[in-house]
Amino acid sequence: MSTIKGALKAAKGALDAHQYDTAVEQANKVLQEDPKNYHANVFLGLAFEKKGKGEESEKAYRAATSIKSSETLAWQGLISLYEQQGGRRLDDYHTAAVHLATLFAVADDKTRCQTVLDKYTDLARSCGTRAQYKRSLEVLLPGSEIFDYLEGRIPHPSQTYTRIAELVEQDEKEKINSEIGQRRTRLGARIDQVTAEVKRDVLQNSVLETVYQNVIDWTHDDATRRTYEEKLLQHAYDTLLVLPPAQKPNKREQVIDLARGLVILKHTLPLAWKISLEWKDIERIEELDVGILREYCEYFPEDGLSKVLRAYLGSEISAFPKLVAQETEKEDEEPKFVSISAEDRLLLMTDGIEDSSTSVLAHRIMSEYYLFLDEYESAVDIARRAKRQVLVDAQVSGLALVNNSDAVSILLGTALVQYQAPRHHPEARSLFDTILARKPSNSSALLGIGLVLQENQEYATAIEFLERALEQSPDTRVKAEVAWCRVLQGDYSKGLSGLEECLPDVTSPDPRIKALKAQVLYRIGVCMWNMDESKSSRKDRSKAYARFISSLQLDMALAPAYTSLGIYYADYAKDRARARKCFQKAFELSSSEVVAAERLAHSFAKTSEWDLVEAVAQRVVESGRLRPSPGSKKKGISWPFAALGIVQLSRQDYPKSIVSFQSALRLTPKDYYSWVGLGESYHNSGRYTAATKALEQAQKLEPELGPEAVGDAWFSKYMLANVHRELGDYDVAIAGYKDVLSFRDREYGVSIASLQTMIEDAWHNIDLGFFGRAVDSVQQALSIAQDIATWSGHAFNLWKSIGDLCSIYTYVQSSIELLPAQDIHKLLGNDFDLEAYGLLIESDGVDWAALESSAVGENAGSILKYCCHAALLAYKRAISCCANDPCAKAVAWFNLGWSQHRAYVCRTSEDAPLKHLKAAVQCFKKAIEMESGNAEFWNALGVVTTPLNPRVAQHAFVRSLFLNEKSAQVWTNLGIFYLVEGDVQLANDAFARAQSVDPDHAQAWLGQGLLAAQLGEAGEARNLFTHSFEISNAAAPQIQRSYASSALDHLLSSSMPAKETAEILQPLLAVRQLAKQSLPDPSFDHIYSLLQERVGEQADTSQRLFSVCSTLEADYETTESTETLARFAQAKADLSRSQLAEGNFESAAENAETALALSEEMSSSDAMRTKIGLSAYLSAGLTLYYRGLLDESIDMFRASLKDKGPDPDIVCLLYQVLWAKGVEQERSTAREQLLDCVEQHPRHVGIILLLGAIAVLDNDRDTVEAVADDLRSLRTREDLTPSQSQRVAQLLNAIAAVCPNDKDEGSTQMSEATTAVMLSPFKSYGWNQLSGLSDDRVPAEIAVLTATKQAPPRGAATAEDVSDAFAKAGHGDDAQKSIMLAPWKPAGWEALSQI
C-alpha cells in the first residue's frame, strides 16, 4: 500500500516538474499493482496528453471514468484533450461535456457547469458542422436537466430555437440545391420533375416546422412571432405543393388552419389571405365574407385581386351592400371607400387582372363583369384562364373545388353561347351537360342549353329546358326566352301573350331591367310583324313599328331593333337613306346582325364601293355566326364568303378568292353563283381543270335557279368556254360562245372572246402545221368581226383581232389567194377616220389611199402586199380606239410595230427596203415611252434596230434582260445580234444562256447551229439544226430552211444510199411546211423537188422542177446572170432525170439536150458544168435506151465517159446497153472490155455482178467459176450496201441453179442459201431463198419476221422485199398482206391463187 502511495506521489511530482516520462513510469507501476486505481489512470492520461500521445491519453482517461464515473477529474481531462483536437472529436466532446455539466449540476456548481457548456457551444460553433452546432444548442433547450438547472443563466429558448431554425434552413437549402444538381444529370431527367422529387424528399423529413412552432411558442417578441408564423405557413404550403395526392389532406388542413389563424389575427401575409379566399369552394361570390374582402382591399391596396375586389364591391353586379363614402376627420386622410365611375371601374379591374394571373376569384369576378357589359370575347378569354387556374389550385391543394369549377364553367358556357354564335355552341353545350350531370337543377346550365337549342332551331326541346330553368328560378328573362321560342316556333299567339306577361315584371329603373324590357318590346314587335304579313299591316306605325321605336327608346344599343326598322324603311316606307342608316347602326352595334350586313353589302356593291363590301363581309365572317354547329338544323350563311370572293376576284387576288368561294360552298353547296365565282377564280389563276369541274357543277344547278336568276345562267357557259379556250380546246370554246350568243345576241364580251378564240385557233393550227384549218378559222373570224363592227366599231380588241386576222395570211402564204380582200376592204372602210389611218404616213407610206391603190391582182406578191397594208391599217385604227387607255395604247403601238416588221419581212421587190423597219422603230419607241418596264417592248426594239443601229440594238437587248433575265427569246436574239456582228464567243455564250433558261426554245439551238455552220463544223451544225427542228413547231421557217438544207447536203455527200428513205422523211416534212408558209422560191422549190425525187414522188417532182425552170428562165432572160444560168441548167438536168423516172422519155430527152446546151455556155473551168453535163448525158442515154434508140444511147454514154473518164458505173451502163443491142460483135466487145475493167477496178461490185450475169447467160463455166469465187469473197466485205449484198446472194443462187459444179458440193442452191443466212441472219433475202428450197415453214416465217423488222425506219427493206417474204409464207392472210404492200408484184397474187 505504501508503495502505491509513493508511486502516486512520485508521479504527481513528475507531472509538476514536467517530467512526463517519469510520470508515465510511476503511474504504470501503480497500475501494475492496482489496475483499478483511479488517480494512476488520471496521471497516466495527463502525462500522455502532455507528451502529445492523444490515443494513449484518451484510453487512460476512459479507464478512469469507468472506475469512478461520478468523479470530475477524468472528465475534465477528456474535455481538455478534445479541446486540443479542435472539431475532430466534437461528438465525443459532446458526451463528455454533457456528463461533466451534469456532475457539476449535481454538485450544485452552476458556474463551472455553465462554463463547460459555454466552451462546448463555442467550440461547436467555431469548429463543428451545422449539425454539430445544432446538437450543442439542443443541450440548452427546455426538456433537458441542464436547462432546468441553468435557466436564467443560459440564452432564452426563443433565441436558441431561432438559431437552430437558421441552421436547419441553411442545411435544407444546400441539400435541395446539391440534390437537384446531381439528379438533373441523369438520363431523361426533367428539371421540374427533379425539383419536385428533391423538395418532396427533403421537406417531408424536415423538422423545420417544429422548430418554427417552438420559436412561436417561446418568443415574447410579436415581430418575431409574426415572422415565424409566416415562415411556418410558407413551409407548410411548399410542402403541400410537392406532396402526392394521397398525403395532401392532413397537410392541407394544417395550411388552411394556419392561414385562417393569420387572417383572424389580421396578419398582412398575402398568402394566408389568398388561401382563405381562393380555396373556398363556393357556387356564388356572395357566399364569401364581405368583411374579409374589404379587409383584404384595405391591407393590400396595390395587389391585383384587391383592385378587382375594390371595383367589384362598388359595381352594379355586386350582391354585397355598398358602403357610402364618408368624409374623413383629417384633411390629409383619404377615405377608405370611394365610389368610382364605370369607366374607372373597368380600368381598375383590367389593371388588377393583369397582376393576379393566378387568382380564380379575380377571374370569376372579371368574367362576370364582362358578361354584364356584353363583352363576350373578353369574358370567354378570362373564363378560360380561370378554368385552367381552377385545375391548378385543385392540383396544389388536393381539393376537388367542384363548385368553383362549375361556376367558372357556367360563366364560360354563358359567354360562349353569345360569342360568335353558333361557332362555340358545341363547347358550351358540353360544359352545361357536365354541370347538369352533377347538378340537374342548375338553372344557369338549363338556361344555357335552352339558348343553344334555340339557336339551333330546336325550339320544342329548348322550351323544355327553359321551363325547367324557370321552375328552379322564376326569372323574367327565362320567361321571356320561353315566349320567344314559341314565337320562333311559329306559335305567335302564345308567344305574344307570354312576352306581354313579362312587361309588368320589367319596370325597375335598373339598367339591366331596362335592357330586358327593350328586348321584350322588340320581340313583341317581331311577333306582330310576322303575325300579319300584309303590306298594310306592316306599314301601320302603331303596330310593330311602334314597338321597335319603344325598344330603342329604352335601349339605344339594341341592334336587332335597328335591323327591323331598316327593313321597314327599305321595303315599306321606301326611305332608302333612313334604311341605310338603320342597317349601319345595327351592324356597328353588333356584327351578328347578318341581315343588316347583307343589305349593306348589297347597297355598297351597287355603288361599287368594294372596300366597304369587304369590310362588312369580313366582319360578319369574324363574328362566327355563319357556320351552324354540328347537328344543328340551322342553315349556314354563305353570302359573306361569296362577297369576299367577289371583292378579291375584282382585285385579282385569286388564291384568296378561291378560299372564300370554297368556304361559301361548304356552307351552301348548291349556291350557283359561288360555283361560278370559284370557276372564274380557278380560271384566272391558271387551274383550268378545277375551273372546268366547278363550272360544270354550276351548270348542273341551273335548273334549280329561280325565275329572277335564269337570265344569269349564260355566264357559266361563257366562263366554261373561256376555260376551254385556255386549255386549247378551241372548237369546244367556240361552240360555247356560239351557244351563249344564241340567247345573248350582241353581248360584246362574248363576241370579242369568240373572235379572239378563232384567231388563237388559227395561230395554234399554224404552230401544228394545219395551215388549211388556220385559213378556215380566219374566215370564220372575219364574219364575226364584220358583225361586231356594225354595232361596236370602235373597240380596241376588235381592230386588234382584225389586224391579227390579216397577219395570219402572211404566215400561210400558200393560201394567200384565199384572202377575202373585198370583205376586209369593206370592213376597214366602215365608219373610218382618215386621221387614224394616216399615222406614220411619212414613214411607211401606208394609208387608206395606199390601200385602195394597191388593188389585189392575180400575182401572189400583190395580194401579200395588200394583206400587209390591211393589217397595218387595222392596227392603226386600234390605236385610235384606245386613246384614253395608256396601257392599251402601249400594247397597240407594240402591235403596230410588230406588223410593220412583218411587212418588212414580207416585202416585195418593188418596196422601199427599210421604210417599214424604220416605222417599226418609231412604234416600239412610243410603246416604251408609255410602258418602259415592259421587257418585250425592249426586245422588239432590239430586233428591228439590229440592221439599222447595232449600238441601239445592243442597248435594247440588255435593257430587256435587265427587266427579265429569264427570257430565252431575248438571249437568243442577243446571240443572233452578236453573230451578225461577228463576235463568236459572245454569241455562243448568249445561245448557251438561252438554252439553260429554256432547253425547249428551238431558236436557241438554231442559233447555235448557225454559229457552228459559220465555223465550218457541218456535222455539229446539222445535229443542232435537227434538234431545233424536232422541238420546234410548224411555224418556224428559218429552222425548217436550215434543217432541210443541211439534211440535203448530208444526203448528197453520204456514201450510204440505202438509208436515204429513212433519213429523208423529216427534211421533206420541213420543206413541205416551209412551202405552205412562203411564196414560191426557186432555191427551196429545187431542194423540195430533190427530196421528193428521193422518196419516189416523181410526178410532183417533175411539176415542181418545171415551175423552177420557168422561174429561172424568166429570171435569166432579165438578168443574164451566170449564176442563174448554172441554176437553170441544173434544174433542167434534174427535170430530165425526174421525167425519165416518171416514164416521160420524150420530155426527158428534150430537157437533157437543153441542159447540155446550157452547160456548153458555162465556163469550162466550172465544176458545176461537169456535174450538169454528166447528169444530162446519163439521163439522155437512158432515155434513148428506153426509146429503143440504142446507138444514140451508146453515143451518150461514151460522151459521158469522155467528160467523166473511165467511171465503172458508167461503164456498166454502157455495157448493159451494148449487150441489150443483141449484136454478137457488140457483146464480144462488151465481154472483153468488162474483163479489162475488172482488172482496173477489181473491187467494183457492179462490174463483177455484170460479168457474172453475162457469164451465166453465155454458160461460160470458166468465167462463172472465177466470178463465183470473187462473189463469195466479195459478200464478206463490210462496205457492201444491203442492196448489193442481196444482188450478190441472188447471183450466186442463180449460178448454183444454172451452172452447178458437180465437183463442188458447196455450190448448190441450198448451200448458197444457208451461207447467205449465216452471213446475214437478220436479212430476209437469205431466208427467202431458203424457204423456196425447203418444204419447212420455219424459214418462210423467219423471212417474214426479218423483213418486217427491216422495214423503215428501223431498216432499209423496201415494200417489195417485205411483199416477197409474205408471198412465200404460204398463208392466205400473208398473201393478202403481200398484195397490200406491193399490188404490182405478181408473187402475192400467185401465192393467193394457190391457197
Side-chain angles (χ1 to χ4, degrees):
M1 188 66 178
S2 59
T3 304
I4 292 173
K5 288 184 178 180
L8 288 173
K9 188 175 180 180
K12 178 69 170 62
L15 289 171
D16 293 339
H18 303 293
Q19 298 175 357
Y20 304 118
D21 292 335
T22 303
V24 170
E25 181 181 353
Q26 295 299 323
N28 285 329
K29 287 181 181 179
V30 175
L31 291 175
Q32 287 177 358
E33 294 183 8
D34 185 8
K36 298 293 185 180
N37 191 290
Y38 174 79
H39 293 284
N41 280 293
V42 171
F43 293 156
L44 182 61
L46 180 59
F48 280 133
E49 178 184 354
K50 296 299 184 180
K51 291 180 67 175
K53 296 182 176 181
E55 292 182 1
E56 289 82 351
S57 175
E58 182 182 8
K59 184 178 180 181
Y61 284 141
R62 290 291 182 187
T65 58
S66 62
I67 296 171
K68 292 183 180 181
S69 61
S70 58
E71 291 292 335
T72 62
L73 190 59
W75 293 106
Q76 289 175 339
L78 278 174
I79 289 174
S80 175
L81 179 64
Y82 292 148
E83 286 178 353
Q84 295 176 12
Q85 295 181 9
R88 287 177 294 173
R89 303 296 297 277
L90 200 56
D91 293 335
D92 294 331
Y93 191 176
H94 170 80
T95 303
V98 170
H99 195 86
L100 181 60
T102 303
L103 292 178
F104 286 142
V106 172
D108 195 20
D109 190 346
K110 293 184 178 182
T111 302
R112 298 179 67 185
C113 178
Q114 182 178 357
T115 301
V116 169
L117 293 177
D118 289 343
K119 288 183 178 181
Y120 169 50
T121 54
D122 291 341
L123 183 64
R125 181 178 63 254
S126 60
C127 299
T129 63
R130 291 195 189 95
Q132 291 172 334
Y133 182 41
K134 171 177 168 290
R135 187 181 182 189
S136 69
L137 293 176
E138 289 174 349
V139 177
L140 305 178
L141 293 175
S144 66
E145 297 179 358
I146 297 175
F147 174 78
D148 296 336
Y149 178 68
L150 295 179
E151 184 175 8
R153 298 176 66 94
I154 58 178
H156 191 269
S158 62
Q159 299 177 6
T160 306
Y161 278 121
T162 300
R163 186 57 182 151
I164 291 175
E166 294 173 355
L167 295 174
V168 175
E169 286 173 356
Q170 295 176 5
D171 280 341
E172 288 187 358
K173 183 177 180 180
E174 290 182 0
K175 186 174 183 180
I176 289 172
N177 292 335
S178 63
E179 285 293 324
I180 291 174
Q182 293 176 5
R183 297 187 189 184
R184 69 182 300 179
T185 59
R186 297 175 183 175
L187 187 64
R190 298 198 315 268
I191 185 62
D192 54 342
Q193 182 179 0
V194 168
T195 302
E197 291 176 355
V198 171
K199 285 186 176 181
R200 180 165 55 249
D201 294 341
V202 174
L203 296 180
Q204 273 186 308
N205 301 316
S206 175
V207 298
L208 201 52
E209 293 183 18
T210 304
V211 176
Y212 287 157
Q213 188 62 50
N214 287 328
V215 173
I216 295 169
D217 293 341
W218 281 95
T219 186
H220 299 295
D221 183 37
D222 292 339
T224 302
R225 183 181 297 106
R226 288 187 177 183
T227 300
Y228 279 92
E229 285 176 346
E230 293 176 4
K231 288 187 175 184
L232 176 59
L233 176 59
Q234 187 65 53
H235 191 277
Y237 180 76
D238 293 341
T239 305
L240 179 64
L241 291 179
V242 298
L243 285 177
Q247 301 177 12
K248 282 183 180 290
N250 293 333
K251 180 59 68 175
R252 180 181 63 245
E253 294 301 324
Q254 177 190 358
V255 171
I256 293 175
D257 289 342
L258 290 172
R260 185 184 301 113
L262 291 176
V263 170
I264 292 173
L265 295 174
K266 295 181 175 49
H267 200 300
T268 57
L269 177 64
L271 178 62
W273 289 84
K274 289 186 177 180
I275 290 174
S276 297
L277 293 175
E278 303 288 351
W279 287 11
K280 285 190 176 181
D281 192 18
I282 54 175
E283 289 186 358
R284 297 183 303 276
I285 297 176
E286 48 265 33
E287 296 179 17
L288 294 173
D289 187 348
V290 66
I292 293 179
L293 298 179
R294 290 188 173 125
E295 289 174 352
Y296 184 84
C297 296
E298 181 182 354
Y299 296 148
F300 311 103
E302 298 302 322
D303 183 73
L305 176 59
S306 174
K307 295 177 181 178
V308 174
L309 287 173
R310 192 157 67 250
Y312 167 74
L313 292 174
S315 69
E316 303 90 334
I317 64 172
S318 174
F320 299 113
K322 297 178 177 56
L323 293 180
V324 180
Q326 299 177 355
E327 296 184 359
T328 57
E329 296 178 358
K330 299 180 180 179
E331 294 182 357
D332 58 346
E333 183 179 351
E334 295 183 358
K336 295 182 179 180
F337 298 98
V338 179
S339 60
I340 57 179
S341 63
E343 292 79 6
D344 294 338
R345 185 181 301 115
L346 181 59
L347 290 174
L348 186 61
M349 281 189 172
T350 305
D351 186 28
I353 201 67
E354 293 177 357
D355 298 335
S356 56
S357 59
T358 60
S359 173
V360 175
L361 179 59
H363 284 77
R364 282 180 64 176
I365 293 172
M366 194 73 202
S367 179
E368 187 174 343
Y369 194 68
Y370 276 135
L371 280 177
F372 169 74
L373 298 177
D374 294 337
E375 294 290 337
Y376 301 113
E377 182 178 3
S378 300
V380 168
D381 179 57
I382 298 298
R384 289 191 191 280
R385 286 155 56 183
K387 194 166 182 61
R388 290 192 293 268
Q389 190 58 41
V390 167
L391 296 177
V392 173
D393 288 351
Q395 183 180 5
V396 169
S397 65
L399 294 169
L401 299 178
V402 176
N403 292 331
N404 280 352
S405 178
D406 289 348
V408 173
S409 296
I410 288 173
L411 291 172
L412 177 59
T414 303
L416 289 174
V417 169
Q418 303 296 334
Y419 175 55
Q420 294 184 343
R423 177 184 296 180
H424 304 290
H425 281 186
E427 182 182 358
R429 178 71 182 270
S430 175
L431 293 170
F432 291 137
D433 286 339
T434 302
I435 295 171
L436 290 177
R438 292 192 299 267
K439 303 173 182 178
S441 60
N442 189 289
S443 59
S444 299
L446 291 170
L447 175 61
I449 292 179
L451 294 176
V452 170
L453 294 171
Q454 180 189 107
E455 181 67 27
N456 292 342
Q457 297 182 355
E458 300 178 30
Y459 302 119
T461 311
I463 291 172
E464 294 179 5
F465 277 91
L466 292 173
E467 287 179 343
R468 287 173 56 188
L470 193 60
E471 293 175 0
Q472 300 298 324
S473 176
D475 189 354
T476 305
R477 183 193 173 194
V478 180
K479 185 178 180 181
E481 292 296 339
V482 173
W484 181 239
C485 280
R486 298 189 188 281
V487 172
L488 296 175
Q489 196 176 17
D491 190 353
Y492 298 118
S493 59
K494 287 187 178 180
L496 180 60
S497 62
L499 290 171
E500 290 177 344
E501 290 176 2
C502 296
L503 290 176
D505 300 331
V506 287
T507 57
S508 172
D510 187 284
R512 287 182 290 181
I513 301 300
K514 291 178 68 176
L516 178 58
K517 183 177 181 180
Q519 187 183 60
V520 171
L521 286 171
Y522 159 72
R523 290 176 174 179
I524 291 174
V526 172
C527 187
M528 291 179 175
W529 183 272
N530 292 325
M531 285 179 69
D532 188 355
E533 297 182 358
S534 64
K535 188 174 182 180
S536 59
S537 176
R538 290 188 172 182
K539 291 181 68 175
D540 188 352
R541 295 201 172 197
S542 63
K543 294 184 179 180
Y545 174 82
R547 301 304 186 279
F548 296 149
I549 293 296
S550 299
S551 65
L552 289 175
Q553 290 174 348
L554 291 171
D555 185 3
M556 295 295 292
L558 187 60
Y562 285 106
T563 301
S564 298
L565 276 178
I567 295 173
Y568 169 81
Y569 285 126
D571 297 345
Y572 297 97
K574 304 301 180 182
D575 190 342
R576 294 184 179 180
R578 286 190 176 182
R580 187 166 182 172
K581 290 180 180 179
C582 288
F583 291 138
Q584 287 178 341
K585 184 64 176 179
F587 191 61
E588 287 174 5
L589 291 172
S590 174
S591 60
S592 300
E593 290 302 308
V594 181
V595 175
E598 185 175 9
R599 298 263 187 155
L600 279 177
H602 280 292
S603 174
F604 293 141
K606 289 179 181 178
T607 57
S608 300
E609 299 177 79
W610 298 113
D611 291 339
L612 296 177
V613 173
E614 182 186 25
V616 170
Q618 187 63 44
R619 190 177 178 209
V620 175
V621 169
E622 293 173 354
S623 70
R625 298 192 63 86
L626 304 184
R627 292 184 176 88
S629 59
S632 173
K633 297 179 181 179
K634 189 175 181 180
K635 295 182 179 180
I637 302 172
S638 63
W639 70 261
F641 288 110
L644 284 175
I646 293 171
V647 174
Q648 291 155 356
L649 192 60
S650 66
R651 295 176 178 172
Q652 300 181 358
D653 193 352
Y654 304 122
K656 289 184 179 180
S657 67
I658 289 171
V659 173
S660 297
F661 284 123
Q662 286 176 339
S663 300
L665 289 170
R666 290 190 189 100
L667 296 172
T668 53
K670 294 187 177 182
D671 184 1
Y672 169 81
Y673 296 101
S674 294
W675 280 112
V676 174
L678 180 62
E680 187 175 358
S681 300
Y682 278 136
H683 165 267
N684 294 338
S685 61
R687 299 168 62 179
Y688 302 118
T689 303
T692 302
K693 294 180 180 179
L695 293 169
E696 288 176 349
Q697 182 64 31
Q699 290 186 349
K700 292 179 182 179
L701 298 174
E702 288 179 2
E704 302 179 12
L705 292 176
E708 70 282 354
V710 172
D712 298 332
W714 66 273
F715 191 73
S716 63
K717 296 182 175 62
Y718 167 68
M719 285 305 306
L720 188 58
N722 287 342
V723 173
H724 286 299
R725 172 184 173 184
E726 296 293 343
L727 290 173
D729 299 333
Y730 297 110
D731 294 338
V732 180
I734 293 170
Y737 292 134
K738 289 182 178 178
D739 186 20
V740 175
L741 290 173
S742 64
F743 53 88
R744 294 285 294 190
D745 189 24
R746 295 191 174 184
E747 181 69 38
Y748 172 75
V750 182
S751 299
I752 287 294
S754 178
L755 173 61
Q756 292 174 335
T757 304
M758 290 180 180
I759 299 297
E760 291 174 7
D761 185 29
W763 287 118
H764 180 66
N765 285 323
I766 289 176
D767 290 340
L768 296 178
F770 300 142
F771 302 106
R773 293 183 184 178
V775 173
D776 293 340
S777 296
V778 168
Q779 291 176 347
Q780 295 179 21
L782 180 60
S783 63
I784 294 180
Q786 289 174 322
D787 177 63
I788 297 175
T790 59
W791 49 271
S792 182
H794 298 283
F796 163 74
N797 287 327
L798 169 64
W799 293 104
K800 190 264 183 188
S801 299
I802 294 173
D804 291 345
L805 183 149
C806 296
S807 299
I808 287 173
Y809 278 100
T810 67
Y811 288 87
V812 194
Q813 296 179 12
S814 61
S815 302
I816 196 70
E817 294 84 359
L818 301 176
L819 177 72
Q822 294 182 353
D823 294 337
I824 293 176
H825 193 83
K826 182 179 178 181
L827 186 60
L828 291 172
N830 180 24
D831 192 21
F832 71 92
D833 183 3
L834 286 176
E835 184 179 352
Y837 286 155
L839 286 175
L840 302 179
I841 183 62
E842 67 282 356
S843 298
D844 61 4
V846 178
D847 60 358
W848 179 252
L851 182 69
E852 288 189 326
S853 63
S854 60
V856 177
E858 296 180 357
N859 185 4
S862 64
I863 301 175
L864 180 61
K865 180 179 179 181
Y866 179 86
C867 188
C868 292
H869 287 180
L872 289 173
L873 292 182
Y875 287 126
K876 288 180 179 180
R877 189 159 179 180
I879 293 175
S880 66
C881 293
C882 59
N884 298 324
D885 189 347
C887 295
K889 197 169 185 179
V891 175
W893 278 108
F894 172 77
N895 293 336
L896 180 58
W898 172 81
S899 183
Q900 295 280 6
H901 180 261
R902 185 62 186 169
Y904 166 75
V905 172
C906 300
R907 66 189 181 279
T908 57
S909 59
E910 66 271 13
D911 289 332
L914 296 177
K915 67 176 184 179
H916 290 296
L917 199 62
K918 293 179 179 179
V921 172
Q922 295 181 31
C923 294
F924 292 137
K925 284 183 176 180
K926 287 183 177 294
I928 291 172
E929 288 176 2
M930 298 177 184
E931 191 177 342
S932 59
N934 192 311
E936 292 186 9
F937 295 176
W938 286 101
N939 174 55
L941 180 62
V943 171
V944 297
T945 54
T946 296
L948 299 175
N949 191 332
R951 296 181 64 183
V952 174
Q954 184 180 23
H955 170 73
F957 287 134
V958 172
R959 182 63 180 174
S960 179
L961 289 173
F962 173 76
L963 296 172
N964 181 16
E965 65 176 355
K966 294 185 178 181
S967 175
Q969 180 184 14
V970 182
W971 282 110
T972 302
N973 292 338
L974 183 61
I976 295 294
F977 169 80
Y978 287 134
L979 187 61
V980 171
E981 295 300 317
D983 196 329
V984 176
Q985 183 59 45
L986 288 178
N988 183 65
D989 294 343
F991 291 137
R993 184 64 181 272
Q995 292 163 6
S996 65
V997 171
D998 184 5
D1000 293 331
H1001 189 63
Q1003 281 72 17
W1005 298 97
L1006 170 65
Q1008 200 84 29
L1010 294 174
L1011 180 61
Q1014 182 173 327
L1015 296 175
E1017 300 176 1
E1020 179 67 17
R1022 186 182 66 258
N1023 293 333
L1024 291 169
F1025 290 145
T1026 302
H1027 179 68
S1028 175
F1029 176 74
E1030 289 174 348
I1031 64 175
S1032 67
N1033 54 41
Q1038 184 58 47
I1039 294 176
Q1040 294 155 355
R1041 185 176 291 110
S1042 300
Y1043 170 61
S1045 299
S1046 63
L1048 183 61
D1049 291 341
H1050 174 66
L1051 289 172
L1052 293 175
S1053 62
S1054 175
S1055 60
M1056 300 294 290
K1059 296 183 179 179
E1060 288 181 2
T1061 302
E1063 294 178 356
I1064 206 66
L1065 295 178
Q1066 279 191 323
L1068 181 59
L1069 174 62
V1071 294
R1072 281 181 175 173
Q1073 291 177 345
L1074 183 61
K1076 293 287 186 180
Q1077 299 175 68
S1078 58
L1079 295 177
D1081 182 357
S1083 299
F1084 279 91
D1085 282 351
H1086 198 168
I1087 293 175
Y1088 191 1
S1089 63
L1090 293 177
L1091 294 173
Q1092 284 182 311
E1093 180 186 14
R1094 288 176 177 267
V1095 296
E1097 297 179 359
Q1098 304 302 337
D1100 290 343
T1101 301
S1102 299
Q1103 182 180 358
R1104 192 170 298 278
L1105 283 172
F1106 181 79
S1107 176
V1108 170
C1109 289
S1110 300
T1111 304
L1112 291 174
E1113 183 178 8
D1115 190 16
Y1116 178 68
E1117 290 176 354
T1118 303
T1119 63
E1120 295 184 356
S1121 168
T1122 56
E1123 180 183 355
T1124 305
L1125 175 63
R1127 292 170 60 192
F1128 181 36
Q1130 179 69 55
K1132 281 292 184 179
D1134 293 339
L1135 177 59
S1136 174
R1137 185 177 63 251
S1138 175
Q1139 290 173 336
L1140 171 64
E1142 189 181 2
N1144 188 358
F1145 303 123
E1146 293 183 2
S1147 298
E1150 181 182 350
N1151 286 309
E1153 292 176 0
T1154 303
L1156 288 172
L1158 292 172
S1159 65
E1160 292 296 331
E1161 299 180 12
M1162 298 172 63
S1163 174
S1164 59
S1165 61
D1166 193 348
M1168 182 64 70
R1169 173 186 175 182
T1170 304
K1171 294 182 179 180
I1172 295 172
L1174 179 61
S1175 176
Y1177 277 126
L1178 293 176
S1179 298
L1182 291 172
T1183 301
L1184 293 170
Y1185 168 77
Y1186 284 114
R1187 294 175 64 187
L1189 304 175
L1190 299 183
D1191 293 334
E1192 291 82 351
S1193 175
I1194 292 171
D1195 293 339
M1196 287 295 176
F1197 287 130
R1198 285 175 176 170
S1200 67
L1201 287 174
K1202 291 181 181 179
D1203 285 351
K1204 179 66 175 176
D1207 185 274
D1209 292 323
I1210 301 176
V1211 170
C1212 288
L1213 290 173
L1214 175 60
Y1215 295 157
Q1216 289 180 48
V1217 175
L1218 289 172
W1219 183 266
K1221 188 175 181 182
V1223 180
E1224 185 61 30
Q1225 183 181 357
E1226 299 290 348
R1227 291 185 176 182
S1228 299
T1229 303
R1231 291 190 196 97
E1232 294 174 1
Q1233 292 182 352
L1234 275 175
L1235 291 173
D1236 294 338
C1237 192
V1238 167
E1239 293 179 359
Q1240 297 176 6
H1241 303 282
R1243 297 180 61 81
H1244 193 274
V1245 179
I1247 294 176
I1248 297 173
L1249 289 172
L1250 181 58
L1251 184 60
I1254 292 174
V1256 171
L1257 293 174
D1258 290 342
N1259 199 16
D1260 185 354
R1261 289 186 174 271
D1262 294 336
T1263 304
V1264 166
E1265 290 178 3
V1267 171
D1269 291 338
D1270 289 341
L1271 291 174
R1272 291 189 183 98
S1273 62
L1274 185 66
R1275 64 182 176 183
T1276 60
R1277 283 168 45 183
E1278 296 181 355
D1279 59 342
L1280 289 184
T1281 64
S1283 62
Q1284 290 174 339
S1285 299
Q1286 184 174 358
R1287 290 165 61 192
V1288 169
Q1290 290 174 347
L1291 183 56
L1292 284 172
N1293 189 39
I1295 291 173
V1298 178
C1299 302
N1301 189 348
D1302 298 334
K1303 297 180 181 181
D1304 187 4
E1305 297 180 355
S1307 64
T1308 63
Q1309 285 183 282
M1310 181 63 74
S1311 64
E1312 293 296 344
T1314 55
T1315 303
V1317 170
M1318 180 189 69
L1319 292 174
S1320 300
F1322 50 87
K1323 302 294 185 182
S1324 62
Y1325 56 82
W1327 294 103
N1328 281 331
Q1329 294 175 4
L1330 190 60
S1331 66
L1333 300 172
S1334 173
D1335 295 333
D1336 194 351
R1337 298 180 58 85
V1338 174
E1341 294 176 356
I1342 297 178
V1344 171
L1345 181 62
T1346 54
T1348 53
K1349 285 186 176 180
Q1350 286 300 309
R1354 291 178 292 181
T1358 64
E1360 294 180 352
D1361 295 335
V1362 183
S1363 176
D1364 288 341
F1366 277 111
K1368 296 177 181 180
H1371 294 287
D1373 56 346
D1374 291 330
Q1376 292 175 345
K1377 292 178 181 178
S1378 175
I1379 294 171
M1380 181 190 69
L1381 289 169
W1384 61 88
K1385 294 279 290 184
W1389 296 101
E1390 292 173 358
L1392 184 62
S1393 66
Q1394 296 174 4
I1395 299 301

